[in-house]
Amino acid sequence: MVHAVAGTSGGIGGTTFNGIVLLFLAGLVVGHVVRLAREAEARLARAVELEAATRERERLARRIHDSVLQVLAMVQRRGGELGGEAAELGRLAGEQEAALRALIGAGPAAPPADVSGAGTDLRPLLTGHASTFVTVSTPATEVRLPAHAAGEVGAAVAAALDNVRRHCGEEARAWVLLEDGEGEVTVSVRDDGPGMPPGRLDRAAADGRLGVAQSIRGRIADLGGTVAIVSAEGEGTEVEMTVPRARV
């Protein structure tokens, strides 16, 4: 009897050891399930928020379409018929109509920060520039980059369009094209302006005018990308910006 008690209390039996192992494994499983449940809850909350924002955007789009866009279209049409100062008002109304149509058709805005790790969709940053004189073409699917990289590409495009307005005039036409490659993202900005004579950009940099060098080339170079500028007198200018995905 004494030997039986000593054997039982002197060590951990097989059943007790197995129970401890099972409790340890159960704790790991429960912790994993809790983590998965929290992630699923966060994804559900984001999905609900996105759906609510989409419904509100669609409601506002219908109201804008039924009122503001129709008025702007009428002003543009009547201004063109009347001519003179009214034609200028009509032109401005048409420009605002195009900008509003691009805004309500672009989908929900991308978050300012990359909080989910999925990146920022570059398309809304470009379609916001659409107007009567600027045509923006993007893929039907999202083109995501890290938030900083997307912001820098968007700023470089804005600088290129600003150059078009300053050097080619307010009514110059421009085309922005976004291409999503397997290992890189390419954005080109083309205009129908007078073009540039050979060596103009080099002379501008030598004179201390660094708009293109800093606002466009500098931003893209910091992302590991390249900028190609093709221009000829009387044939317009095209600025092609390419950013490799591996670096951004």
Side-chain angles (χ1 to χ4, degrees), residues 20-36:
I20 293 174
V21 172
L22 288 175
L23 285 174
F24 177 74
L25 293 177
L28 292 178
V29 171
V30 170
H32 181 63
V33 170
V34 169
R35 181 175 61 83
L36 291 178

Side-chain angles (χ1 to χ4, degrees), residues 48-60 107-108:
V48 171
E49 182 180 354
L50 178 60
E51 182 181 0
T54 301
R55 287 199 301 268
E56 178 64 12
R57 189 182 188 90
E58 291 174 349
R59 184 185 68 82
L60 291 175

Side-chain angles (χ1 to χ4, degrees), residues 1-10:
M1 183 66 177
V2 174
H3 291 291
V5 172
T8 303
S9 60

